[in-house]
């Protein structure tokens, strides 16, 4: 948010000191302060908040600046990834709770938007006892590792036309509990260790061949670098230009 002469930044998070009560916190400051604060702690850490300004939520404000208080965590209130895959596009734009394992964590991606704002993106592959791979996109870098059990409260699910499958997204309203102390999480972790030992998670789960039309559409929608496989032919090649990008061809 811009003010006369300087920019202001905000960082929002949720705190709780009991199973029943949660409070949303918004911290304001300059770029250096807010970025330092957001990187100084993560989910599960204990924090001290000094001299806060406490105020009731204003329902007339935009929801992004005054997020709704999340409901009480319930270890049994979740859907399996198999349920989501089975229902497919009927769950497009729905907010759902899931209990899942981490299959893989990609390298974080950092980018700058056209208006100069800096952003970040982390892609994670999830799995459970019903699905071996399910994509999750996180808009803030988090420390996650393979085989961690995640209880994700209020994840958004959308149909990705490029991947041709459902995907999960974490936003400012989502709460992630790492390795929750529940019976369901313990059973899922035991399954994760068993399936990991079998070597199934080592198999490549990259997407199959992608039509050129979808590649062009993906490039227009997202400026980030992405990978895919396409079976196609070259319709135009400028021999006077560099052809170093053509690495190998197989006939």
């Amino acid at each position: 948010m811009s003010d006369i002469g300087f920019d202001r930044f905000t960082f929002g998070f949720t705190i709780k000191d009991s199973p029943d009560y949660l409070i949303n916190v918004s911290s304001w400051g300059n770029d250096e302060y807010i970025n330092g604060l957001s990187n100084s702690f993560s989910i599960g850490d204990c924090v001290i908040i000094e001299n806060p300004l406490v105020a009731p939520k204003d329902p007339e404000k935009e929801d992004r600046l005054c997020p709704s208080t999340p409901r009480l965590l319930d270890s049994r209130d979740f859907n399996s990834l198999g349920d989501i895959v089975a229902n497919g596009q009927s769950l497009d734009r729905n907010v759902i709770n899931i209990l899942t394992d981490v299959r893989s964590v990609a390298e974080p991606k950092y980018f700058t938007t056209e208006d100069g704002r800096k952003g970040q993106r982390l892609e994670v592959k999830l799995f459970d006892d019903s699905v071996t791979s399910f994509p999750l996109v996180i808009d803030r870098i988090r420390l996650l590792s393979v085989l961690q059990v995640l209880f994700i409260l209020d994840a958004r699910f959308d149909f990705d036309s490029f991947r041709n499958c459902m995907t999960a997204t974490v936003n400012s309203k989502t709460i992630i509990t790492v390795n929750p102390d529940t019976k369901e999480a313990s059973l899922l972790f035991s399954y994760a260790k068993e399936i990991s030992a079998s070597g199934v998670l080592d198999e490549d789960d990259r997407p199959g061949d992608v039509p050129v039309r979808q590649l062009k559409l993906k490039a227009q929608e997202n400026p980030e670098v992405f990978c895919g496989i396409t079976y196609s032919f070259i319709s135009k090649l400028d021999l006077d230009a560099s052809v170093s990008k053509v690495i190998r061809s197989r006939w």
Side-chain angles (χ1 to χ4, degrees):
M1 179 176 293
S2 297
D3 203 345
I4 299 177
F6 68 96
D7 293 331
R8 290 195 300 166
F9 297 79
T10 181
F11 169 52
F13 56 97
T14 301
I15 59 173
K16 59 180 295 186
D17 60 1
S18 75
D20 300 315
Y21 300 102
L22 305 98
I23 296 178
N24 295 308
V25 181
S26 293
S27 180
W28 296 79
N30 59 31
D31 185 8
E32 182 179 359
Y33 171 75
I34 292 300
N35 276 295
L37 179 65
S38 64
N39 293 322
S40 64
F41 61 90
S42 58
I43 293 175
D45 291 345
C46 293
V47 298
I48 298 176
I49 300 179
E50 298 179 340
N51 301 322
L53 174 63
V54 181
K57 290 183 293 186
D58 186 350
E60 295 183 357
K61 287 185 178 180
E62 292 186 37
D63 192 53
R64 64 184 179 87
L65 295 179
C66 193
S68 58
T69 302
R71 59 185 177 274
L72 178 64
L73 297 180
D74 184 347
S75 63
R76 295 165 295 180
D77 180 21
F78 63 87
N79 291 81
S80 70
L81 297 178
D83 293 335
I84 296 168
V85 172
N87 286 278
Q89 296 187 48
S90 65
L91 297 178
D92 189 35
R93 300 183 181 182
N94 273 254
V95 175
I96 303 172
N97 305 336
I98 55 174
L99 181 69
T100 180
D101 274 298
V102 176
R103 171 172 177 157
S104 64
V105 181
E107 289 293 325
K109 298 178 181 179
Y110 301 90
F111 58 90
T112 302
T113 61
E114 293 182 355
D115 57 0
R117 292 183 293 111
K118 295 182 179 180
Q120 48 189 273
R121 176 188 178 96
L122 180 66
E123 293 197 12
V124 179
K125 291 293 181 63
L126 307 174
F127 76 99
D128 62 10
D129 56 0
S130 61
V131 171
T132 58
S133 182
F134 194 97
L136 169 71
V137 177
I138 302 177
D139 61 0
R140 183 178 296 276
I141 305 305
R142 302 169 186 262
L143 297 178
L144 299 177
S145 59
V146 175
L147 299 189
Q148 278 183 331
V149 177
L150 306 179
F151 183 80
I152 306 179
L153 183 73
D154 289 347
R156 171 167 169 150
F157 288 83
D158 299 278
F159 181 77
D160 188 323
S161 58
F162 175 71
R163 291 187 175 99
N164 195 32
C165 67
M166 296 295 291
T167 61
T169 304
V170 168
N171 56 35
S172 59
K173 293 184 179 181
T174 307
I175 294 179
I176 299 179
T177 303
V178 179
N179 296 327
D181 185 15
T182 65
K183 177 182 178 181
E184 294 82 0
S186 178
L187 291 173
L188 187 57
F189 180 65
S190 297
Y191 170 79
K193 290 193 298 182
E194 179 182 341
I195 202 73
S196 177
S198 70
V200 172
L201 300 183
D202 298 329
E203 297 177 1
D204 190 1
D205 68 334
R206 289 178 298 180
D209 57 296
V210 181
V212 173
R213 177 179 58 82
Q214 289 191 21
L215 288 175
K216 293 175 66 176
L217 180 62
K218 181 71 173 180
Q220 293 172 356
E221 294 177 345
N222 192 342
E224 298 178 24
V225 176
F226 61 93
C227 299
I229 301 173
T230 180
Y231 295 91
S232 55
F233 62 89
I234 299 175
S235 60
K236 181 179 180 181
L237 179 63
D238 187 356
L239 297 179
D240 295 327
S242 173
V243 293
S244 60
K245 293 184 179 180
V246 181
I247 300 175
R248 182 175 59 179
S249 62
R250 292 185 296 182
W251 305 92

